[in-house]
């Protein structure tokens, strides 16, 4: 007959196997999906630092840059770099990493909860719901949200390290492991800033460190709070008969959270905490309250999920907000009232409130009011509260266990089906955005995304219609309205500039700058149009403003270099081109213009090297690059090679008079050699 230990071991392995299989069935389809136009370009496939893979320059950028994407997440950048090193721009490989990280996190969550509580099936149910709930789709299927699954992994690892730390006499080594893993999680995504509060809750239940008499309690392996077996820990750093140590030991964690949170606010720039405006503060408070209730609804009714959820109008109904406040207070009062008999209800509920606080909307990061990805860690608390409540209600009633088992299995099957369908919408940008419009009609921000899709396909007329629809929209999504309007004006300006309608493009870029003064691309494009219109001083000023906002903005350095080159300030121009290439090594136009500047200084060999790099970076370079290359080769007496470049230029532009004349000269010189 099988021993209890062996049976338990097989049950643990079975749960772990189920979690991995369930994640694979639901999210395995994403390995065939594409990148999407929302944030994936800036974070992955148009980010030269990431595309280069692991380089010293890239690692330095990951830890020191506070501008890109408005968030400081060095560990996430390193993860994306690793994917590019392994998979290049094969989106399936990037998706696979997300799926694997999520599967590992789900398994570890189960093991940690079981270790802390000694309860196998409630722990397994929590991990299973976490793994396959439809709200997880956005975090797993969106490559940009690598920061969710990566920070989630370190979140669970921090819980595991903390459980090990409290189950033994005090050890600085074990404590520093907790701190180190926590800091790694913050470097993946700073949403973990409230994790010290969750650890404090876990001290209450299931770790039982509070104790009825205020002593610091510690459990030996295999002993758990709900079994009532604990012994006092003889630790010289523990103040006898006081719970203050439980707070004191969290101080370094809180300090780390404050430091990393401050970096995030600094990276996000102005507007993150615009609470000096009373209307904005009251509006954000109302949005945060509604978000807490909205996420509750989505947890129990995960249908109609969209990306993103635009913020409500500036005029929030006080009755709606008041009703939401009453609901949240009622749940809190019930959890507090039952804290002695059912402590997991209070712990789970406060876990939800604490972990959601950084992304509730009170502190505004980005355009959206809500996002499915924000529930990745917060709703684990709800799962814990419900799973243990149900488990305790059936523990002494065998006939209920079978019913509970059948209900739980049915629930997981339904969730897997809903999640599989939700994940199927992420196959490409157009499918995802059209689904969003079905779920949230009138979501004008989605028109921006569809416009970008049309723009990438060269469907200029359709893209222009999408952007004009956003600009003409009368929707007013509160203080964050500037975001989607700025994007629409910017993209419409790009279309107009490509059509040579510079005056109209100027108006659109000017509007984009007015709506979002912190956008370096809008300043740069406005400057570029001004330069093309001959307004050199103002154009130069706008490009330099873009550099002031983002010191590594390559196109802005390129534009400034062009003006300086025209003015004869060759050395200064060379410096600007080199700065552009430092930020974007595969910038073919910058290589070409740097070659021109070097040739003017008589550094012909260096110029030839730059022209070669330009052609390597962009094989379909314009005819002018081949002509410049030919001139440099001819200056070195390499007329045969120069003639080859001139012919390439004429293939691209048959009526290129200068290249034809240069070809004749090269051929004549060859004949005389």
């Amino acid at each position: 007959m099988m021993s209890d230990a062996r049976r338990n071991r097989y049950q643990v392995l079975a749960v772990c196997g189920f979690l991995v299989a369930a994640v694979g069935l639901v999210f395995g389809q994403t390995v065939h999906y594409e990148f999407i136009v929302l944030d994936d370009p800036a974070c992955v496939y148009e980010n030269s630092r990431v595309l280069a893979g692991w380089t010293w320059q890239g690692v330095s950028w990951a830890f020191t840059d506070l501008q890109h994407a408005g968030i400081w997440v060095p560990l996430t950048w390193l993860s994306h770099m690793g994917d590019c090193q392994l998979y290049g721009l094969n989106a399936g490989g990037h998706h696979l990493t997300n799926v694997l990280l999520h599967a590992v996190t789900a398994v570890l969550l189960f093991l940690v909860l079981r270790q802390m509580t000694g309860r196998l099936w409630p722990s397994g149910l929590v991990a299973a719901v976490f793994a396959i709930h439809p709200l997880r789709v956005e975090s797993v299927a969106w490559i940009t949200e690598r920061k969710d699954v990566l920070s989630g992994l370190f979140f669970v690892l921090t819980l595991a390290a903390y459980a090990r730390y409290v189950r033994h006499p005090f050890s600085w080594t074990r404590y520093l492991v907790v701190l180190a893993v926590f800091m790694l999680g913050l470097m993946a995504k700073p949403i973990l800033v409230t994790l010290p509060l969750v650890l404090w809750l876990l001290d209450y239940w299931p770790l039982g460190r509070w104790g009825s008499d205020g002593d610091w309690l510690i459990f030996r392996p295999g002993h758990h709070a709900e079994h009532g077996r604990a012994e006092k820990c003889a630790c010289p750093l523990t103040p006898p008969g006081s719970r203050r140590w439980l707070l004191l030991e969290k101080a370094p964690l809180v300090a780390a959270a404050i430091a990393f949170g401050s970096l995030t606010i600094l990276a996000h720039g102005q507007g993150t905490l615009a609470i000096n405006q009373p209307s904005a503060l009251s509006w954000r408070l109302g949005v945060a309250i509604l978000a807490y209730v909205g996420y509750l609804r989505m947890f129990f009714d995960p249908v109609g999920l969209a990306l993103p959820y635009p913020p409500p109008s500036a005029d929030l109904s006080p009755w709606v907000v008041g009703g939401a406040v009453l609901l949240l207070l009622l749940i809190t009062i019930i959890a507090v009232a039952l804290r002695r008999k059912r402590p997991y209800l209070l712990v789970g509920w406060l876990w939800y409130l604490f972990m959601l606080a950084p992304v509730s909307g009170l502190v505004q990061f980005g355009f959206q009011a809500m996002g499915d990805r924000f529930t990745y860690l917060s709703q684990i608390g709800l799962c814990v509260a419900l799973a243990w409540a149900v488990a305790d209600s059936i523990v002494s009633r065998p006939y209920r266990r079978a019913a509970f088992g059948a209900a739980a299995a049915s629930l997981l099957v339904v969730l897997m089906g809903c999640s599989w369908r939700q994940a199927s919408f992420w196959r490409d940008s157009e499918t995802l955005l059209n689904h969003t419009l079905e779920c949230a009609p009138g979501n004008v921000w989605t028109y921006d995304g569809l416009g970008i899709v049309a723009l990438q396909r060269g469907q200029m007329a359709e893209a222009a219609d999408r952007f004009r629809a956003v600009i003409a929209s009368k929707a007013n999504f509160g203080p964050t309205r500037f975001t989607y309007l700025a994007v629409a004006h910017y993209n419409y300006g790009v279309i107009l500039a490509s059509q040579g309608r510079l005056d109209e493009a100027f108006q659109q870029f000017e509007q984009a700058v007015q709506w979002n003064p912190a956008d370096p691309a809008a300043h740069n494009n406005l400057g570029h149009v001004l330069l093309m219109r001959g307004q050199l001083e103002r154009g130069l000023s706008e490009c330099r403003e873009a550099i002031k906002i983002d010191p590594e903005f390559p196109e802005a350095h390129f534009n400034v270099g062009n003006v300086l080159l025209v003015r004869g300030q060759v050395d200064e121009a060379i410096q600007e081109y080199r700065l552009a290439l430092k930020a974007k090594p595969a910038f073919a136009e910058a290589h070409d213009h740097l070659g021109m500047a070097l040739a003017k200084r008589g550094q012909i060999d260096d110029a030839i090297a730059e022209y070669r790099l330009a052609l390597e970076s962009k094989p379909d370079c314009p005819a002018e690059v081949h002509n410049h290359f030919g001139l440099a080769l001819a200056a070195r007496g390499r007329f045969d090679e120069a003639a080859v470049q001139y012919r390439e230029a004429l293939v691209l532009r048959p009526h290129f008079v200068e290249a034809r004349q240069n070809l004749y000269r090269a051929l004549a010189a060859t004949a005389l050699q």
Side-chain angles (χ1 to χ4, degrees), residues 538-601:
R538 188 180 172 191
L540 189 61
S541 175
E542 289 295 336
C543 292
R544 282 181 166 150
E545 181 64 25
I547 293 172
K548 182 179 178 182
I549 297 169
D550 182 357
E552 294 190 346
F553 198 96
E555 288 77 13
H557 284 293
F558 176 71
N559 286 332
V560 171
N562 291 342
V563 175
L564 296 174
L565 189 62
V566 169
R567 289 179 172 178
Q569 297 171 257
V570 179
D571 290 342
E572 292 87 342
I574 288 173
Q575 183 179 0
E576 292 296 330
Y577 292 138
R578 292 198 188 282
L579 287 172
L581 290 167
K582 181 181 178 182
K584 186 179 178 181
F587 196 167
E589 292 80 2
H591 282 296
D592 174 45
H593 284 229
L594 177 57
M596 293 168 58
L598 292 169
K600 284 191 175 186
R601 281 179 50 176

Side-chain angles (χ1 to χ4, degrees), residues 436-510:
T436 296
L437 282 179
E438 292 177 6
C439 298
N443 186 339
V444 293
W445 190 86
T446 307
Y447 285 108
D448 267 337
L450 289 170
I452 295 171
V453 172
L455 192 61
Q456 290 180 342
R457 294 176 176 174
Q459 300 167 334
M460 297 299 181
E462 181 181 344
D465 288 342
R466 296 288 191 185
F467 297 134
R468 280 196 296 266
V470 178
I471 294 168
S473 172
K474 302 301 181 183
N476 181 13
F477 291 149
T480 61
R481 180 173 186 251
F482 73 89
T483 304
Y484 67 85
L485 281 174
V487 172
H489 281 295
Y490 174 84
N491 287 318
Y492 188 33
V494 170
I495 294 173
L496 294 170
S498 69
Q499 297 171 344
R501 298 158 65 179
L502 298 184
D503 290 342
E504 296 171 82
F506 166 77
Q507 294 175 359
Q508 296 303 319
F509 290 133
E510 195 170 43

Side-chain angles (χ1 to χ4, degrees), residues 36 71-72 199 220 222 275 337 405 439 464 486 603 667:
I36 64 170
I71 189 170
W72 189 74
L199 298 181
R220 293 188 180 279
I275 57 176
C439 298
Q603 298 174 238
L667 293 174

